Amino acid sequence: MVGENKFFDEMSGHNGTVRDAYAAYHDWFAEQDAERLTKKSQDAETFFRRTGITFNVYGQSEAQERLIPFDLVPRILAQREWTKLAKGIEQRVAAINAFLHDIYNRQEILRAGRVPKHLIAGNEAFLPQMLGFSPPGQVYTHIVGTDIVRTGEGDFFVLEDNARTPSGVSYMLENRETMLQMFPELFAKIKVQPVSDYPKNLRRSLAACAPSSAGSKPTIAVLTPGIYNSAYFEHSFLADQMGAELVEGHDLRVVDGHIAMRTTQGYKRIDVIYRRIDDDFLDPLTFNPESMLGVPGIMDVYRAGNITIANAPGAGIADDKAIYSYMPDIVEFYTGEKAILKNVETWRCGEPGALQYVLDNLKDLVVKEVHGSGGYGMLVGPAASKKELATFAEKLKAKPGNYIAQPTLSLSTVPIFTESELAPRHVDLRPFVLVSPQGINIVPGGLTRVALAKGSLVVNSSQGGGTKDTWVLED
Amino acid sequence: MHLTITHTTRYSYETPVHYALQKIRLIPRDTPQQRINDWKVQITGGNREVIYHDQHGNVTELMQIDPGATEVSITASGRVETRDTAGILGKVYGSIPLWLYLQESKLTKPGDGIREIAATLEAAQDKLTGLHDMSARIAEAVKYGSGQTYAETTAEEALKGGKGVCQDHAQIFISAARAAGIPARYVSGYLMMPDRVEQSATHAWAEAHLDTLGWVGFDVSNAQSPDEHYVNVATGRDYLDAAPISGLRQGSGDESMIVSLQVQQ
Amino acid sequence: MLGKTAGGLYWMFRYLERTENIARLIEAGFRIALTRSTDAESEWKSVVTTSGVSAGYAAKYDNYTSTNVVDYLLRDTSNPSSVISVTGAARDNARLVRTALTTEVWEAVNETWMTLTELLANPVRETELPSVLNTIRQQSALVRGALHGTMLRNDIYDFSRIGTFIERADNTARIIDVKYYTLLPNTSFVGSSLDNVQWETVLRSVSAHRSFRWLGESEMTASGIADFLILDRRLPRSLSFCISQIVSNLDYLAEDYGERHACHEMAEKIQSRLKNRDIESIFDEGLHEFITAFIRDINSLGQQIESDFRFGG
């Protein structure tokens, strides 16, 4: 790969010279036979399908199960790159927890005027039911998935802080497992930091957040909406790997002031619930009364201090897109330090001046709805037609406060294997962060998502994205 | 004034209960207007699971009805010493920031009718007078009477219907005050009607917050501010936050409820 | 273990057992259709009856042709007991209890589902039927093999086995129930060729035609076959074998949990009615009455197990 790269390529930089982190891999790859790799690639797909590593997609008539495409070229980070990144993530996640505790208690940051009150007040992710309460261990975001993008050698940006129930960690683990099986010789040659401790660390981290009433071996359960949920594979995978029970709402009830699960030998108390259902469905007695997925009374038991809910209800206020633009201030307010990791430049359309700028430059910007998630109600300027731009401009003018805008980022690329050769494709990175009173733990690596279509910037699995194994090298 | 209160709520179920929970907010706290002398909540046919303070500071209990029960009764009783403060609770604050009491809630989302009332309040020079005037106007517009509204009727619906109970009056008041930029909240509690021991039901009124006075109570239904005849039991953004008992039951079959309330000196 | 998990295991193995049983019934029916085309219609009808789907079938078709019956029993998603429906249900239950299964068992079930959905995507031609039925039975054997070879012998295993044998007992009893008149001694067509064909069909329905001959202890007589299917504990599909397996797995659970339930007593009672019994006394009691009571009891036992081990709410 020689020549000018328009985008920063993590294997060959801007000028086509293989970067250090990829040197050993590049040498190995050069010796490989393309046909053998193609065969390996097909084997991987068969393996994923047979083991049921799928996600559900709801079509017109019935649920289908799909694979997330897996690319066999790893995304590689040098130890020193990772150290810096991890430090930045740790700082940011610590600030997010401090922010959540403050927002649900004294609200100093609002009093200080560093974050405008109206962003909290009118926000559906803000749960008044959490006010005046401290969760066990004062941890709100037990698991965080911080979405990172890169644009140059040292330029990492946080795109999103997923503080609710970030998914994808099972793919991180299975991708590594698959690579180990396909290319054992590669791992003998190149020293890669392991990720396989994640389930054990998750268990330990959750246990450390158990209520004080729990014994020395707290009972942990994973709460899933059920087998038809799109992420069910991950729910059962994590429960299995942690040695925790996988429960649904109807397996649980309140017994003697605690949450308990129905077993073949009667009800058994649970101390920590790692829930994979949204706040609104958590407790029909407190939130949405129509919810069939939740556990009636769990919020009462929670406020009484008898159960840990991970992540804490209401934690979503921290990853709201409007709050995002204040993250540098939030980090500084709670840690007293400048944020190590940069935010993507963001215009809050509700602010005077910003709206005009955004309207003038709409075709170059990405505009997002502040209370939405998952890419709905979003405009990607460079990809939009004149008519779409005009329609969106009207929506913006009608409710500017509902939107933020960001520049279209020149996301870095990592090569993927296409039939016979390597081709650069845009990627992002979601490292997984565990928080407990004992500290913050980040698994070295994370989930690399890759936009498989040439030139595409959309890495979402629901829109044609795939995944890669992510390596952090040992020094 | 020393008030002695016995408040019993009895539920009967057509078919034996399989699994049911009740959230109970029946324990009043000391305030500048009241002092609680021995108070207890007794439950028969059910089991207290937890007790805690909710976000509004209400002492909240979660009760599970005994499996197989066809009847459960909850009795709150005790003595309260009350004081007439001309309806002024004052600058007493909990964990809820004042701005939260400016937010719309499910039952207090204003419509055109309420906005019109709010406009008058917004124009008033003196807010305290404005609030009293508004209270009178709401009582005029919505005649006191049961049967037309139910627990989940919104403020705007009640105003349109022109007839309602204390809950509706309080919620219309709250909704309009908030729309006019004045923090307001719902209070559920007891009122001793001086001419009788057997009171017909628990009572509800509103509190509005003025920078000068702090929280001030307004009982729209009785055209007065709460005095020593009132006991504040729970507060919230609307009825749903402060309801004395709210529950959830699995399974079918009708249920019926009888409330008896005695308040006497 | 979660009650739901126990229930999921129980039902997963009931469904897996059912796919195999349906395949066997079709196989037996198909054989008659091939060899004695005049009886085909009534034979297919009894296959439908034995499968317990008469009402659904009659609502859809007004005749009992081989094409329709085979399609309804193998591929029809509106039939909750078709192989395709039941395989899906088994896999859904396997997903539900994924954490209780070894990788081998899960992959075997998942592969069964993938194989059968592909195999049954289009109507099965008569020439392909034997190989399709063969695949269904092979897949079932694959799962069973994974279960025996890799699972711990704990409560997970017990619930899996109980599900298998409740389903199997019910299935064998239904076969006898539908054909009981051919198994009665002293009926008018004793020794006729009709009898021989009917008997052979019954034996084939439980894959016992070879073993019956091989054991060779009794002539092919009505009471000999009835004895074999009901009382012979060497036959893994006999009522006696099934109930003794259920009793022993329930006993393991009692030992494991340190608690006996109503279902234990119920199972022993059913077993006692088969123990030390000869077939003549069953004929005296009335074969039809005996089988009807057995089907009723085995289903009550299933419900009692569900409630004793808290499968549901």
Side-chain angles (χ1 to χ4, degrees):
Chain A
M1 284 208 289
V2 181
E4 289 289 296
N5 292 324
K6 187 178 166 210
F7 300 99
F8 176 73
D9 187 79
E10 300 194 12
M11 185 182 274
S12 59
H14 273 296
N15 61 13
T17 320
V18 175
R19 294 174 65 248
D20 284 355
Y22 283 83
Y25 181 80
H26 189 264
D27 291 348
W28 174 86
F29 187 85
E31 290 165 9
Q32 299 307 305
D33 170 47
E35 253 175 58
R36 176 175 168 259
L37 290 180
T38 307
K39 169 84 173 38
K40 290 272 186 190
S41 188
Q42 288 159 352
D43 290 351
E45 186 174 325
T46 310
F47 168 76
F48 282 135
R49 217 171 261 293
R50 207 181 60 224
T51 48
I53 306 177
T54 55
F55 70 103
N56 300 348
V57 181
Y58 295 90
Q60 292 84 345
S61 55
E62 57 186 68
Q64 294 178 299
E65 291 174 18
R66 275 206 217 149
L67 290 181
I68 298 183
F70 168 73
D71 177 66
L72 52 80
V73 182
R75 196 257 188 94
I76 309 174
L77 295 165
Q79 165 74 55
R80 66 185 152 72
E81 291 177 308
W82 175 253
T83 308
K84 186 185 162 199
L85 202 53
K87 224 173 129 191
I89 293 169
E90 186 173 336
Q91 180 198 45
R92 194 161 167 122
V93 168
I96 283 175
N97 271 281
F99 170 71
L100 285 165
H101 188 258
D102 185 32
I103 279 299
Y104 287 118
N105 287 280
R106 294 192 46 80
Q107 307 192 319
E108 298 290 359
I109 199 165
L110 302 187
R111 291 170 207 242
R114 297 287 287 274
V115 169
K117 204 158 39 189
H118 71 87
L119 288 185
I120 308 291
N123 205 313
E124 277 176 31
F126 174 76
L127 295 185
Q129 289 82 359
M130 289 296 291
L131 281 163
F133 170 72
S134 241
Q138 237 184 76
V139 175
Y140 286 80
T141 61
H142 306 75
I143 300 116
V144 181
T146 311
D147 287 351
I148 305 278
V149 293
R150 182 176 200 180
T151 60
E153 186 62 57
D155 302 317
F156 292 93
F157 296 88
V158 176
L159 191 60
E160 248 174 68
D161 301 282
N162 295 289
R164 297 166 212 221
T165 40
S167 60
V169 76
S170 58
Y171 295 97
M172 173 190 82
L173 294 165
E174 286 288 0
N175 286 353
R176 175 63 55 82
E177 209 49 46
T178 308
M179 288 293 279
L180 281 166
Q181 282 192 23
M182 284 201 294
F183 308 112
E185 76 278 13
L186 198 46
F187 289 87
K189 206 176 293 224
I190 305 173
K191 292 291 163 220
V192 179
Q193 298 190 30
V195 294
S196 54
D197 284 347
Y198 180 82
K200 195 180 72 201
N201 291 340
L202 173 61
R203 190 190 171 89
R204 190 181 299 159
S205 188
L206 288 172
C209 297
S212 50
S213 60
S216 59
K217 257 197 105 202
T219 304
I220 300 171
V222 178
L223 176 61
T224 171
I227 61 166
Y228 298 113
N229 183 267
S230 64
Y232 180 78
F233 162 71
E234 175 152 306
H235 307 162
S236 69
F237 178 86
L238 287 175
D240 194 32
Q241 297 279 310
M242 276 198 290
E245 288 290 354
L246 180 63
V247 298
E248 293 173 52
H250 57 79
D251 295 317
L252 306 180
R253 60 162 64 169
V254 178
V255 177
D256 298 332
H258 292 265
I259 298 298
M261 57 186 168
R262 193 182 69 252
T263 78
T264 49
Q265 297 168 274
Y267 278 89
K268 182 172 178 249
R269 172 176 151 183
I270 293 174
D271 303 300
V272 181
I273 285 195
Y274 175 24
R275 49 93 180 217
R276 297 292 295 255
I277 64 176
D278 293 342
D279 287 351
D280 196 34
F281 295 100
L282 199 53
D283 183 353
L285 198 57
T286 296
F287 303 119
N288 181 358
E290 308 296 319
S291 171
M292 304 292 283
L293 304 175
V295 188
I298 192 171
M299 282 303 287
D300 302 86
V301 174
Y302 187 51
R303 276 201 77 115
N306 291 351
I307 182 99
T308 295
I309 303 176
N311 289 353
I317 188 69
D319 68 16
D320 183 81
K321 290 191 176 64
I323 299 295
Y324 165 83
S325 66
Y326 290 90
M327 276 311 293
D329 300 284
I330 290 172
V331 170
E332 216 177 308
F333 188 81
Y334 296 106
T335 67
E337 300 160 7
K338 285 267 179 232
I340 298 169
L341 282 174
K342 287 176 274 192
N343 251 22
V344 176
E345 190 179 6
T346 303
W347 290 273
R348 305 170 194 126
C349 303
E351 289 179 4
L355 178 63
Q356 198 51 51
Y357 177 88
V358 171
L359 288 171
D360 291 347
N361 296 282
L362 204 52
K363 65 175 188 348
D364 299 319
L365 298 173
V366 176
V367 189
K368 298 172 177 172
E369 225 177 331
V370 287
H371 301 309
S373 70
Y376 303 105
M378 182 172 153
L379 175 88
V380 181
S385 68
K386 277 217 164 97
K387 199 178 155 207
E388 284 166 335
L389 287 172
T391 317
F392 209 89
E394 289 311 311
K395 277 165 72 177
L396 254 171
K397 280 187 234 167
K399 281 192 169 171
N402 273 8
Y403 299 93
I404 56 157
Q406 294 172 336
T408 320
L409 294 171
S410 307
L411 297 190
S412 62
T413 56
V414 173
I416 63 167
F417 179 70
T418 61
E419 285 165 21
S420 57
E421 53 170 15
L422 295 178
R425 292 292 185 272
H426 295 291
V427 294
D428 78 351
L429 175 65
R430 175 177 291 180
F432 294 92
V433 189
L434 301 174
V435 185
S436 81
Q438 293 166 358
I440 294 177
N441 177 296
I442 311 176
V443 60
L447 180 68
T448 292
R449 297 188 298 177
V450 52
L452 294 172
K454 193 173 176 183
S456 169
L457 292 165
V458 184
V459 297
N460 297 46
S461 55
S462 53
Q463 293 173 58
T467 66
K468 281 171 168 294
D469 189 16
T470 309
W471 293 2
V472 175
L473 301 181
E474 279 179 14
D475 252 351
Chain B
M1 185 179 273
H2 289 275
L3 298 179
T4 301
I5 298 165
T6 306
H7 170 206
T8 300
T9 310
R10 194 170 284 116
Y11 292 90
S12 303
Y13 303 98
E14 198 182 61
T15 50
V17 168
H18 174 60
Y19 180 63
L21 296 171
Q22 304 268 31
K23 198 184 280 233
I24 305 170
R25 296 183 196 85
L26 283 173
I27 303 180
R29 287 160 298 153
D30 287 354
T31 72
Q33 296 170 315
Q34 65 192 28
R35 179 166 305 281
I36 315 301
N37 299 319
D38 79 77
W39 187 272
K40 57 179 185 286
V41 174
Q42 286 173 304
I43 299 167
T44 56
N47 177 42
R48 182 180 288 108
E49 298 288 345
V50 291
I51 180 163
Y52 66 96
H53 286 90
D54 74 7
Q55 69 269 25
H56 298 282
N58 303 314
V59 184
T60 309
E61 295 172 287
L62 183 71
M63 174 191 85
Q64 182 174 166
I65 297 174
D66 295 338
T70 52
E71 212 175 82
V72 63
S73 85
I74 302 158
T75 300
S77 61
R79 289 177 301 122
V80 181
E81 192 183 330
T82 58
R83 201 153 78 84
D84 184 0
T85 61
I88 299 167
L89 173 67
K91 299 184 176 180
V92 177
Y93 305 107
S95 27
I96 297 248
L98 272 183
W99 56 257
L100 196 91
Y101 293 114
L102 282 169
Q103 299 297 305
E104 288 171 2
S105 68
K106 192 174 169 197
L107 301 184
T108 62
K109 199 174 158 61
D112 292 343
I114 285 176
R115 285 212 188 82
E116 201 190 314
I117 296 175
T120 313
L121 174 61
E122 216 168 346
Q125 282 299 316
D126 178 63
K127 295 301 176 203
L128 186 61
T129 313
L131 286 165
H132 281 295
D133 291 349
M134 183 170 85
S135 174
R137 180 172 169 187
I138 294 167
E140 178 71 23
V142 179
K143 296 288 174 225
Y144 192 92
S146 57
Q148 179 137 339
T149 55
Y150 54 98
E152 305 223 354
T153 303
T154 67
E156 186 70 27
E157 285 164 3
L159 180 62
K160 280 216 176 73
K163 189 175 151 195
V165 297
C166 54
Q167 171 183 336
D168 306 302
H169 282 150
Q171 289 183 154
I172 296 167
F173 183 97
I174 291 162
S175 175
R178 288 177 189 165
I182 297 175
R185 67 186 179 191
Y186 186 95
V187 184
S188 94
Y190 302 117
L191 162 62
M192 186 187 81
M193 302 290 258
D195 54 342
R196 64 196 89 156
V197 169
E198 294 288 340
Q199 311 291 332
S200 59
T202 56
H203 195 47
W205 58 96
E207 280 176 353
H209 187 271
L210 296 170
D211 292 340
T212 46
L213 296 172
W215 289 106
V216 185
F218 296 87
D219 179 0
V220 176
S221 308
N222 293 299
Q224 63 189 25
S225 278
D227 56 15
E228 76 271 31
H229 295 90
Y230 288 71
V231 176
N232 174 330
V233 179
T235 59
R237 287 170 306 171
D238 59 22
Y239 166 79
L240 296 175
D241 276 351
I245 301 175
S246 54
L248 184 146
R249 183 164 56 100
Q250 284 178 0
S252 54
D254 276 343
E255 68 176 57
S256 60
M257 181 188 78
I258 303 167
V259 178
S260 84
L261 173 61
Q262 296 166 353
V263 183
Q264 54 191 317
Q265 252 181 288
Chain C
M1 192 199 313
L2 289 177
K4 176 188 70 186
T5 305
L9 289 162
Y10 170 89
W11 280 106
M12 172 185 160
F13 280 92
R14 275 197 79 156
Y15 288 136
L16 287 168
E17 176 69 23
R18 198 174 296 173
T19 58
E20 193 180 340
N21 294 340
I22 295 166
R24 241 188 227 102
L25 282 173
I26 294 176
E27 198 160 37
F30 185 60
R31 210 183 153 79
I32 287 218
L34 283 182
T35 52
R36 303 178 63 96
S37 55
T38 48
D39 299 331
E41 179 105 8
S42 74
E43 195 52 42
W44 282 125
K45 187 174 179 180
S46 67
V47 167
V48 170
T49 311
T50 311
S51 305
V53 295
S54 299
Y57 185 90
K60 190 154 177 174
Y61 300 106
D62 49 17
N63 59 27
Y64 290 87
T65 65
S66 145
T67 314
N68 289 347
V69 172
V70 169
D71 197 70
Y72 191 73
L73 292 180
L74 285 184
R75 302 182 54 246
D76 199 324
T77 47
S78 73
N79 170 13
S81 284
S82 68
V83 168
I84 195 82
S85 301
V86 169
T87 307
R91 182 184 182 255
D92 277 353
N93 277 286
R95 272 164 67 81
L96 189 73
V97 302
R98 176 66 188 82
T99 57
L101 303 176
T102 57
T103 307
E104 286 85 347
V105 172
W106 157 251
E107 287 186 8
V109 177
N110 194 37
E111 193 197 298
T112 297
W113 175 77
M114 289 194 291
T115 306
L116 297 187
T117 42
E118 202 186 318
L119 200 62
L120 300 174
N122 297 305
V124 177
R125 284 203 310 270
E126 230 171 59
T127 48
E128 296 165 356
L129 188 61
S131 95
V132 167
L133 295 175
N134 197 31
T135 306
I136 295 172
R137 279 190 306 165
Q138 273 176 0
Q139 288 297 332
S140 179
L142 184 73
V143 180
R144 192 161 42 236
L147 176 82
H148 289 303
T150 65
M151 298 282 288
L152 292 176
R153 297 306 194 258
N154 57 7
D155 49 354
I156 295 175
Y157 185 81
D158 293 327
F159 286 113
S160 305
R161 298 303 279 163
I162 290 168
T164 301
F165 286 107
I166 294 267
E167 181 70 23
R168 188 178 292 178
D170 178 65
N171 182 65
T172 301
R174 279 166 184 276
I175 291 168
I176 300 170
D177 187 39
V178 170
K179 291 288 175 74
Y180 84 93
Y181 55 90
T182 71
L183 297 173
L184 293 176
N186 310 320
T187 47
S188 58
F189 29 74
V190 177
S192 71
S193 62
L194 175 67
D195 256 3
N196 280 318
V197 170
Q198 288 290 354
W199 292 341
E200 183 155 335
T201 312
V202 169
L203 287 171
R204 276 182 186 281
S205 305
V206 292
S207 289
H209 51 292
R210 284 192 63 245
S211 52
F212 184 79
R213 240 175 281 145
W214 192 73
L215 287 169
E217 285 169 7
S218 47
E219 290 290 295
M220 187 144 4
T221 62
S223 67
I225 292 169
D227 184 57
F228 194 47
L229 294 185
I230 297 171
L231 297 175
D232 199 321
R233 287 187 57 185
R234 293 170 301 181
L235 175 67
R237 313 195 84 82
S238 75
L239 303 187
S240 188
F241 182 86
C242 292
I243 189 67
S244 68
Q245 290 294 312
I246 294 168
V247 167
S248 81
N249 281 293
L250 282 172
D251 282 346
Y252 287 131
L253 283 174
E255 205 177 301
D256 209 8
Y257 292 167
E259 195 180 4
R260 289 180 77 80
H261 295 286
C263 62
H264 289 96
E265 200 178 314
M266 216 167 182
E268 277 162 12
K269 208 168 147 197
I270 298 175
Q271 188 183 31
S272 72
R273 262 186 272 126
L274 292 164
K275 237 180 189 166
N276 307 320
R277 186 90 189 255
D278 59 43
I279 195 71
E280 271 65 40
S281 73
I282 289 175
F283 284 129
D284 290 346
E285 183 186 330
L287 180 60
H288 182 62
E289 289 74 7
F290 174 84
I291 287 295
T292 314
F294 182 86
I295 292 174
R296 194 189 54 227
D297 291 348
I298 207 80
N299 285 300
S300 316
L301 175 61
Q303 283 160 15
Q304 191 60 43
I305 289 169
E306 292 199 27
S307 121
D308 287 346
F309 295 104
R310 303 170 175 89
F311 289 3

